[in-house]
């Protein structure tokens, strides 16, 4: 049996790479050097992310402790440099403005970050549902 090594890389084929439903695996606050600072939604947060074929996006993450619920619908736009913009059409406050994320595929995971690696950020890890 032959296996292939999976590498971490920026998303290149946005539509084929994103389409479908994703399950949330973690939300972590990380320092610039990657040190874990907090898990504001707990160790195993529930949540779903869906990308549709006409560039639709839907996100739902229940609130946890002091962390607010995340729920919005809209469209997504992808740049070749790994920046993914969720254009919010309707959302629960405070998620009513567009959400800009740095995106990469890391093996079978989709990783969305509030900033680039090497900076303080919140990182969301998703796996295909």
């Amino acid at each position: 049996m032959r296996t292939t090594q999976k590498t971490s890389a920026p998303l290149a084929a946005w539509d084929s790479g994103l389409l479908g439903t994703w399950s949330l695996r973690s939300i972590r606050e990380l320092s610039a050097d990657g040190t874990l600072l907090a898990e504001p939604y707990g160790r195993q947060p529930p949540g779903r992310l869906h990308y549709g074929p006409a560039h639709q996006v839907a996100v739902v993450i229940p609130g946890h402790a002091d962390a607010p619920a995340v729920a919005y619908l809209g469209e997504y736009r992808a740049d070749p440099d790994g920046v993914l913009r969720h254009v919010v059409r309707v959302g629960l406050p405070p998620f009513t403005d567009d959400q800009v994320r740095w995106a990469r595929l890391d093996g079978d995971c989709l990783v969305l970050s509030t900033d680039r690696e090497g900076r303080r950020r919140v990182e969301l890890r998703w796996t295909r549902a």
Side-chain angles (χ1 to χ4, degrees), residues 1 8 16 21-22 29 33 53 65 67 71 85 93 99 118 120:
M1 174 192 251
S8 177
S16 62
T21 302
W22 299 81
E29 291 181 23
D33 67 4
R85 178 181 299 274
Q99 303 294 306
R120 186 178 174 138

Side-chain angles (χ1 to χ4, degrees), residues 5 12 16 20 22 24 26-27 33 37 43 60 65 85-86 90 92 95-96 106 108 122 126:
Q5 184 176 1
S16 62
W22 299 81
L24 184 60
S26 67
I27 299 178
D33 67 4
L37 300 173
R43 296 204 64 146
V60 176
R85 178 181 299 274
H86 291 173
V90 62
L92 292 178
F95 299 95
T96 55
D106 187 6
D108 292 331
V122 175
W126 304 87

Side-chain angles (χ1 to χ4, degrees), residues 11-74:
L11 293 169
W14 289 99
D15 291 331
S16 62
L18 293 177
L19 289 180
T21 302
W22 299 81
S23 294
L24 184 60
R25 292 294 169 238
S26 67
I27 299 178
R28 304 179 325 153
E29 291 181 23
L30 302 170
S31 68
D33 67 4
T35 302
L36 177 64
L37 300 173
E39 293 178 300
Y41 288 82
R43 296 204 64 146
Q44 296 179 327
R48 288 281 200 245
L49 167 64
H50 181 79
Y51 292 104
H55 292 263
Q56 313 98 320
V57 63
V59 179
V60 176
I61 302 169
H64 178 78
D66 291 332
V70 179
Y72 62 83
L73 299 169

Side-chain angles (χ1 to χ4, degrees), residues 107-121:
D108 292 331
C109 291
L110 170 63
V111 181
L112 301 178
S113 299
T114 57
D115 209 331
R116 298 179 191 275
E117 289 186 25
R119 297 185 183 175
R120 186 178 174 138
R121 65 196 178 278

